[in-house]
Amino acid sequence: MALQRPKGTQDHLPDGSSGSHSKAARSDTRAEAFAHVTETARRILTRGGARLIQTPIFEEADLVRRGVGGSTDIVRKEMFTVHYFGDHGGFILRPEGTAGIVRAYLENGLKQWPSPLKLWTHGPMFRAENVQKGRLRQFHQVDYEVIGVADALIDAEAIALMVEVVQTLGLKGARVKLGSIGDPADRETYNGYLRETFTPHFERLSDDSKDRLERNPMRILDSKSQTDQALIAELGVRPMLDFLGEAAAGHFTQVRGYLDAWGVGYDLDPSIVRGLDYYRRTAWELHHEGVGAKSALGGGGRYDGLSAELGGPEIPAVGWAFGIERLLIALDAEGIELPQQAGPLLFIAALDPEHTGLAAQIALQVRAVASAEFAYRALKPGNVFKEAERRRATYAALIGSEEAASGSVTLKHLQNGTQHHVNVNDLNAFLLEPS
Ligand code: AMP
């Protein structure tokens, strides 16, 4: 059997050249669909002042460990390590974008730039997860990070931009679930409360959560175990939101105030948890029915403590990411199709082998103003139109000996059937006229 791609990866295929698409090229495997998402994100985010950044797809293991958090499933179970001959084995394929961006910010002295610095990126991320719908081992994200300012306006603007990107792509049913995880001191209080609450029921916790009770009780709330979730419900565990200190509560009120004023909809979600120390205050997820209730389309939050975690100074920052594959699933669920790559404006062919070079030369000339393809061998007249249609061309042109002698082409508009003889010198101008 021929070799196959690794489990949990996808090929992003070219759009079909004929009108009908093979089943294989669903939108979540169409390279053009991915490009359309990143181009839309680029337009909206750069209008908002963001600059494109690209960082390596593999980084020092220590960066990933500190940036993503040693207690997370990602670091404990899902890292792809990178080996090459004679290396120290200390590299990891990035599971997300933020740590690399903050590393690059610190390493390249980007804090000299006007603040806040807004950055965006897109590209592949890697997690060795159990593969299922919407859960891949290589997936793709659009990321937005704002570094340098602690004001609640930044959080609100980031949320508004995230919503704008997915809405511009046509998605209607995405909902922001907004919460706050407070400041570190608030979380300490909350963790104390959680320890008190769960300790009498220690034996009923899952093995993972027994572990978490000591190290990071908040992560119990995030547990995928049904028995944990049943226990949480039974005990009526109070949410983090009840434990916000004055400063964090004030910040949260401000963020909500801006979103309300701007008409950006959200649902309060007191259950949002981010178990890592460097997260502060605002946290949100973007959800959509088509993706299922358990997994999010995207997530974001404030991570003022990350820079210091990576060895830099304390620098406030906010960021979000959404998964492009999951976004495409959500768009599919709403019946929204992203545009196909257009066919060429012109397909040109010669009727005799001696004129194929001339057909190519004319195509090259047309490419100064529009897309043009040519036939690499001579075709019968009927086949010129057939081949042009298969490529979804707007015009078909043919060159017989008469056309070659007079320096012209016979041109047919494939949709309305009109036919013209056009001098080669006038062809570019003719093709640009509205048909
Ligand atoms: P996270 O960094 O875990 O908050 O993930 C941000 C977003 O990336 C998620 O909301 C998903 O849309 C996407 N994502 C995360 N993990 C995967 C995965 N294994 N497969 C596909 N998309 C993913």
Side-chain angles (χ1 to χ4, degrees):
M1 195 158 91
L3 294 173
Q4 297 185 332
R5 61 180 175 266
K7 192 174 166 193
T9 65
Q10 289 181 326
D11 297 311
H12 296 173
L13 301 172
D15 280 347
S17 53
S18 61
S20 69
H21 278 260
S22 72
K23 265 207 183 126
R26 296 188 322 264
S27 63
D28 57 343
T29 57
R30 282 182 47 223
E32 283 295 332
F34 280 74
H36 185 79
V37 171
T38 54
E39 278 155 24
T40 304
R42 169 199 286 278
R43 196 171 69 242
I44 288 160
L45 298 176
T46 51
R47 278 184 194 172
R51 296 151 202 253
L52 180 65
I53 183 169
Q54 290 291 3
T55 60
I57 62 166
F58 65 96
E59 293 272 6
E60 289 278 355
D62 202 33
L63 176 81
V64 177
R65 230 172 263 130
R66 290 211 245 163
V68 179
S71 67
T72 58
D73 280 356
I74 295 179
V75 165
R76 291 171 58 210
K77 304 179 193 157
E78 298 170 359
M79 296 201 298
F80 281 104
T81 54
V82 178
H83 292 278
Y84 57 85
F85 183 72
D87 78 333
H88 59 297
F91 297 111
I92 302 290
L93 291 184
R94 64 181 186 190
E96 50 89 60
T98 310
I101 288 178
V102 173
R103 191 235 353 104
Y105 178 92
L106 296 170
E107 186 171 346
N108 298 290
L110 300 188
K111 64 173 181 296
Q112 310 302 334
W113 291 35
S115 181
L117 184 59
K118 297 175 176 175
L119 300 168
W120 82 283
T121 194
H122 64 89
M125 307 294 162
F126 305 86
R127 298 180 194 178
E129 302 215 55
N130 287 330
V131 177
Q132 45 188 283
K133 189 182 178 199
R135 201 165 286 283
L136 295 160
R137 292 184 171 170
Q138 174 175 330
F139 59 97
H140 296 74
Q141 283 185 344
V142 169
D143 269 83
Y144 170 77
E145 316 284 350
V146 192
I147 307 179
V149 171
D151 199 279
L153 255 182
I154 299 280
D155 313 39
E157 185 192 24
I159 294 168
L161 280 169
M162 187 183 200
V163 170
E164 192 186 346
V165 172
V166 301
Q167 285 184 348
T168 304
L169 286 160
L171 200 67
K172 290 179 197 74
R175 284 301 290 177
V176 173
K177 292 188 175 181
L178 181 66
S180 171
I181 51 170
D183 287 314
D186 309 338
R187 280 207 300 275
E188 226 166 89
T189 315
Y190 188 52
N191 276 329
Y193 157 78
L194 290 177
R195 281 199 191 94
E196 258 170 43
T197 308
F198 286 118
T199 302
H201 308 277
F202 183 79
E203 287 310 323
R204 293 173 62 193
L205 289 169
S206 69
D207 287 346
D208 278 347
S209 287
K210 282 179 179 144
D211 240 27
R212 293 173 182 134
L213 187 63
E214 188 46 45
R215 274 186 294 147
N216 199 340
M218 270 177 82
R219 301 218 47 241
I220 297 174
L221 306 179
D222 240 355
S223 168
K224 288 175 193 140
S225 141
Q226 286 191 351
T227 54
D228 285 346
Q229 289 303 336
L231 183 62
I232 292 164
E234 182 190 317
L235 298 177
V237 175
R238 290 166 63 200
M240 177 70 231
L241 273 187
D242 284 1
F243 289 77
L244 295 190
E246 211 174 301
H251 186 91
F252 193 47
T253 306
Q254 278 186 306
V255 173
R256 294 181 55 190
Y258 292 127
L259 293 176
D260 293 339
W262 304 342
V264 179
Y266 60 87
D267 302 320
L268 266 193
D269 186 347
S271 71
I272 283 198
V273 260
R274 292 276 149 83
L276 301 179
D277 284 349
Y278 61 73
Y279 286 115
R280 305 280 151 81
R281 304 186 175 184
T282 320
W284 72 92
E285 288 175 357
L286 194 64
H287 282 262
H288 190 278
E289 275 187 356
V291 183
K294 286 231 174 79
S295 16
L297 198 57
R302 178 165 277 286
Y303 55 89
D304 295 352
L306 178 58
S307 167
E309 178 66 38
L310 301 181
E314 283 266 341
I315 303 178
V318 171
W320 53 252
F322 65 78
I324 301 181
E325 286 84 354
R326 289 203 193 155
L327 176 69
L328 294 174
I329 291 171
L331 287 166
D332 255 0
E334 289 192 11
I336 294 162
E337 267 191 52
L338 298 181
Q340 305 272 334
Q341 181 171 346
L345 186 64
L346 177 73
F347 175 76
I348 183 166
L351 304 183
D352 309 297
E354 70 199 89
H355 296 136
T356 50
L358 179 60
Q361 188 181 345
I362 295 169
L364 266 54
Q365 167 198 306
V366 169
R367 284 178 194 169
V369 298
S371 53
E373 294 178 27
F374 60 88
Y376 290 84
R377 53 189 178 79
L379 298 179
K380 296 198 174 77
N383 284 345
V384 176
F385 301 125
K386 224 184 273 165
E387 287 294 319
E389 265 158 25
R390 280 190 62 194
R391 287 171 176 72
R392 290 183 292 136
T394 306
Y395 288 100
L398 55 82
I399 304 174
S401 40
E402 241 175 69
E403 286 89 353
S406 64
S408 64
V409 297
T410 297
L411 194 67
K412 181 177 175 183
H413 191 283
L414 290 166
Q415 287 249 296
N416 63 25
T418 54
Q419 219 157 299
H420 302 268
H421 284 279
V422 182
N423 191 290
V424 172
N425 293 330
D426 303 327
L427 185 58
N428 287 18
F430 184 94
L431 289 172
L432 291 184
E433 280 169 20
S435 51

